[in-house]
Amino acid sequence: MPYRAPLADFRLLLDLTGFAEVAATERFADATPETVEAILSEAGKLCENTLAPLNRAGDKTAARLENGVVRTPAGFVEGYREIASGGWVGISADPAYGGMGLPIALTSCVNDMMGSACLALQLNPLLTQGQIEALEHHASDALKAIYLPKLISGDWNGTMNLTEPQAGSDVGALRTKAEPLGDGSYAITGQKIYITWGDNDTNANVSHLVLARIVGAAAGTKGISLFLVPKIIPDAQGNLGARNSLNVVSLEHKLGLHGSPTAVMQFDAAQGWLVGEENKGMAAMFTMMNNARLAVGMQGVAIAEAATQTAVAYAMGRTQGKTPLGNGAIIDHADVRRMLGQMRSETFAARAIGLACAVAIDMGRATSTPEWQARAALLTPIAKAYGTDIGNEVAYIGVQVHGGMGFIEETGAAQYSRDVRVTSIYEGTNGIQAMDLVARKMMDGGEAAYRLIDEVEAAAEAARSSQPALATAVWNASEALREATEALVGQDLNDRFAGSVAYLRAFARILGAHYHLQAGLADPARLPLAAFYITRLLPEYAPLLAQTREGAAGLYALTPEALLA
């Protein structure tokens, strides 16, 4: 089935998540209804007509390394050029350097559509957008003047180089070193792995952000600095000059995302420039990572959308046996309808949470209000983990809807499952997101969480008169979440960690129910889907919250011997 951009969902959810407040700020005054509609509709056309046709070809013909040159699948160069020429890389970037300066919420909608259409290609602008934000916040004016216009225009692409063979989530164990060259630049030496779009034939230059330790700096994360290391060294005007001393060692052979080149990068005294302060590299890199975490959450939503559209189309056209409604299409079987209902409702809930997070980020930037900034911080790990979990689960169900044909590559159902799998791993595994939620994001004693719960309860209370059963279910669930949060902030940190994944999932379940209820009130045609989610999926919150109270002791009772038995 051809991909169709879910514009109606974006329009409704931007309204429900408070985008009007964003557009009312001075910073985002250009985000008028006319501009928003133009952005959504034009991006939708690009994704439907240009990018979606590249998805299957990109899966069948992987990116490859030939004589030191990375070649992307047929059509990727042309597809990327349309992304770049349309200005889609720099939607939210600083207008002073060529960006549109529009809200992250709009960028999230566009990235959602691009990810559905061709996730392997969308990874290129996604990482560049993260690097743009990091440079805007931390780079010197000289570096900004050279790199930002090229990145925003899409002429160059950006990467993030953190991981090494011995240093994954433990970034402080990295061995890449930086030696001062005496002219303000550094010689960077080391190897990095899992570098998405680390080299390609779509961009004239690749701008690598690399974590490294300046010789003599402290061990661990406190001694890490961030460097900008270009593939080809530009002059002060951005004109390309000499090739830097870095190269692609190999490309990873991956479960999915075959069209996206994931490189092992070797830096051999490559010339690089410090971004931010010495030994403050993690703070600078976290700017890019936090941007990427929301964006990756929307990748999960994107694949869930594509998998759902594919499954619904298949179920409507596949006849198999006698059905209760008589026409023979498998969509009329109760269990198939259940699976499709779960796919659609989960996708809507995850998209709502992602856009709510984006709106909070925009409001935090536009107003500098601590409450909005705290909400954005709270929602980021939820949006990333829930969005990517749902992407995986919905793609899995999509294979099941197809039955035996789901296991056959020609239907495309299996590709969604393969492509989305890594999203729950990269940019911080979902377990790390959950630990972040219950630790760093609860350093305020749960105040940001309580403010959000208050809003959910107030909205449910207001809905009792028109939808008493659904509203009461949402209110009861949110009150249970409040009580669980109160208990959580009193726990030992490792006990919090033991129940963190369950807590995050329960929080997301309840937020999803809130947005479904509001959608049903705004558009009665959406009430059946809201009822499906609230009556069939929301009740999972109770056993999930029960897990958060169990602590860590029972987990450590599972000794290695017991696990191997």
Side-chain angles (χ1 to χ4, degrees), residues 207-334:
S207 173
H208 297 282
L209 279 183
V210 183
L211 287 180
R213 196 182 315 278
I214 297 173
V215 173
T221 56
K222 293 181 179 180
I224 293 176
S225 299
L226 182 64
F227 300 89
L228 193 158
V229 187
K231 173 184 174 181
I232 303 173
I233 301 172
D235 64 18
Q237 288 71 46
N239 301 310
L240 297 180
R243 181 77 153 77
N244 212 344
S245 51
L246 56 89
N247 66 283
V248 178
V249 176
S250 62
L251 296 183
E252 305 288 4
H253 300 282
K254 301 174 295 184
L255 176 68
L257 295 176
H258 296 152
S260 169
T262 302
V264 176
M265 297 298 305
Q266 182 67 40
F267 299 87
D268 293 310
Q271 190 173 16
W273 286 263
L274 185 67
V275 175
E277 300 178 40
E278 289 186 9
N279 307 322
K280 302 290 186 182
M282 288 304 297
M285 184 60 91
F286 262 112
T287 300
M288 184 172 184
M289 290 177 67
N290 280 329
N291 176 295
R293 283 174 174 171
L294 170 58
V296 169
M298 298 309 288
Q299 287 184 331
V301 176
I303 291 299
E305 177 66 44
T308 299
Q309 289 190 21
T310 301
V312 171
Y314 180 81
M316 291 175 67
R318 172 66 167 165
T319 57
Q320 185 85 351
K322 185 178 180 180
T323 64
L325 300 184
N327 65 17
I330 64 170
I331 195 170
D332 291 339
H333 289 295

Side-chain angles (χ1 to χ4, degrees), residues 346 349-350 352-354 356-357 374-387 389-390 433-434 436-439 441-442 444-457 473-474 476-486 488-489 499-516 533 537-548:
E346 292 277 40
I353 292 169
C357 179
R375 175 160 300 186
L378 178 79
L379 287 174
T380 295
I382 300 175
K384 193 279 181 181
Y386 184 63
D389 279 346
I390 291 310
Q433 303 303 318
D436 177 50
L437 175 64
V438 302
K441 304 306 164 56
M442 294 290 172
D444 62 354
E447 286 306 312
Y450 296 140
R451 283 194 294 270
L452 187 52
I453 293 168
D454 287 343
E455 291 184 21
V456 173
E457 289 190 353
V474 174
N476 288 342
S478 58
E479 184 61 18
L481 178 62
R482 182 192 303 280
E483 294 170 0
T485 304
E486 291 169 350
L488 181 82
V489 296
S500 61
V501 169
Y503 177 79
L504 185 151
R505 182 62 171 235
F507 211 134
R509 267 278 170 262
I510 292 160
L511 289 176
H514 164 68
Y515 288 114
H516 267 294
Y533 185 95
L537 302 181
L538 175 61
E540 293 175 3
Y541 79 85
L544 287 168
L545 292 180
Q547 291 182 51
T548 68

Side-chain angles (χ1 to χ4, degrees), residues 58 101 189 191 221 247 363 390 493 495 500 513 534:
T189 301
Q191 187 176 97
T221 56
N247 66 283
M363 289 300 295
I390 291 310
L493 193 58
D495 285 334
S500 61
I534 292 169

Side-chain angles (χ1 to χ4, degrees), residues 97 141-151 153 155-156 205 232-241 273:
Y97 297 97
D141 288 342
L143 286 179
K144 289 179 184 178
I146 297 170
Y147 286 87
L148 285 177
K150 297 294 187 179
L151 292 166
S153 69
D155 290 346
W156 301 353
N205 199 11
I232 303 173
I233 301 172
D235 64 18
Q237 288 71 46
N239 301 310
L240 297 180
W273 286 263

Side-chain angles (χ1 to χ4, degrees), residues 129-154:
Q129 288 165 352
Q131 186 173 119
I132 289 167
E133 184 169 354
L135 295 181
E136 285 179 348
H137 282 83
H138 301 287
S140 66
D141 288 342
L143 286 179
K144 289 179 184 178
I146 297 170
Y147 286 87
L148 285 177
K150 297 294 187 179
L151 292 166
I152 290 169
S153 69

Side-chain angles (χ1 to χ4, degrees), residues 24-294:
T25 65
E26 181 178 355
R27 176 166 180 167
F28 296 119
D30 289 341
T32 63
E34 295 78 16
T35 298
V36 171
E37 185 60 32
I39 290 287
L40 293 179
S41 60
E42 289 305 311
K45 292 174 186 176
L46 170 70
C47 294
E48 292 173 356
N49 301 327
T50 300
L51 303 186
L54 301 175
N55 196 46
R56 291 294 292 138
D59 185 55
K60 292 178 180 178
T61 306
R64 61 198 186 280
L65 181 63
E66 294 180 346
N67 300 318
V69 178
V70 174
R71 306 291 185 191
T72 55
F76 270 40
V77 170
E78 294 77 12
Y80 177 79
R81 285 175 182 162
E82 289 207 34
I83 294 172
S85 64
W88 300 111
V89 180
I91 302 173
S92 296
D94 190 343
Y97 297 97
M100 296 186 194
L102 291 171
I104 289 290
L106 278 183
T107 296
S108 297
C109 293
V110 173
N111 285 344
D112 184 336
M113 289 186 273
M114 287 189 182
S116 289
C118 186
L119 185 58
L121 182 55
Q122 185 254 355
L123 276 162
N124 179 317
L126 183 148
L127 269 297
T128 301
Q129 288 165 352
Q131 186 173 119
I132 289 167
E133 184 169 354
L135 295 181
E136 285 179 348
H137 282 83
H138 301 287
S140 66
D141 288 342
L143 286 179
K144 289 179 184 178
I146 297 170
Y147 286 87
L148 285 177
K150 297 294 187 179
L151 292 166
I152 290 169
S153 69
D155 290 346
W156 301 353
N157 74 287
T159 73
M160 176 169 28
N161 290 247
L162 289 77
T163 307
E164 299 180 9
Q166 79 293 336
S169 298
D170 182 14
V171 179
L174 65 79
R175 296 172 185 162
T176 299
K177 64 179 181 179
E179 299 177 275
L181 292 174
D183 61 356
S185 66
Y186 294 76
I188 311 299
T189 301
Q191 187 176 97
K192 298 290 185 176
I193 61 174
Y194 306 149
I195 310 307
T196 300
W197 283 85
D199 196 30
N200 59 77
D201 55 359
T202 59
N203 299 83
N205 199 11
V206 183
S207 173
H208 297 282
L209 279 183
V210 183
L211 287 180
R213 196 182 315 278
I214 297 173
V215 173
T221 56
K222 293 181 179 180
I224 293 176
S225 299
L226 182 64
F227 300 89
L228 193 158
V229 187
K231 173 184 174 181
I232 303 173
I233 301 172
D235 64 18
Q237 288 71 46
N239 301 310
L240 297 180
R243 181 77 153 77
N244 212 344
S245 51
L246 56 89
N247 66 283
V248 178
V249 176
S250 62
L251 296 183
E252 305 288 4
H253 300 282
K254 301 174 295 184
L255 176 68
L257 295 176
H258 296 152
S260 169
T262 302
V264 176
M265 297 298 305
Q266 182 67 40
F267 299 87
D268 293 310
Q271 190 173 16
W273 286 263
L274 185 67
V275 175
E277 300 178 40
E278 289 186 9
N279 307 322
K280 302 290 186 182
M282 288 304 297
M285 184 60 91
F286 262 112
T287 300
M288 184 172 184
M289 290 177 67
N290 280 329
N291 176 295
R293 283 174 174 171
L294 170 58

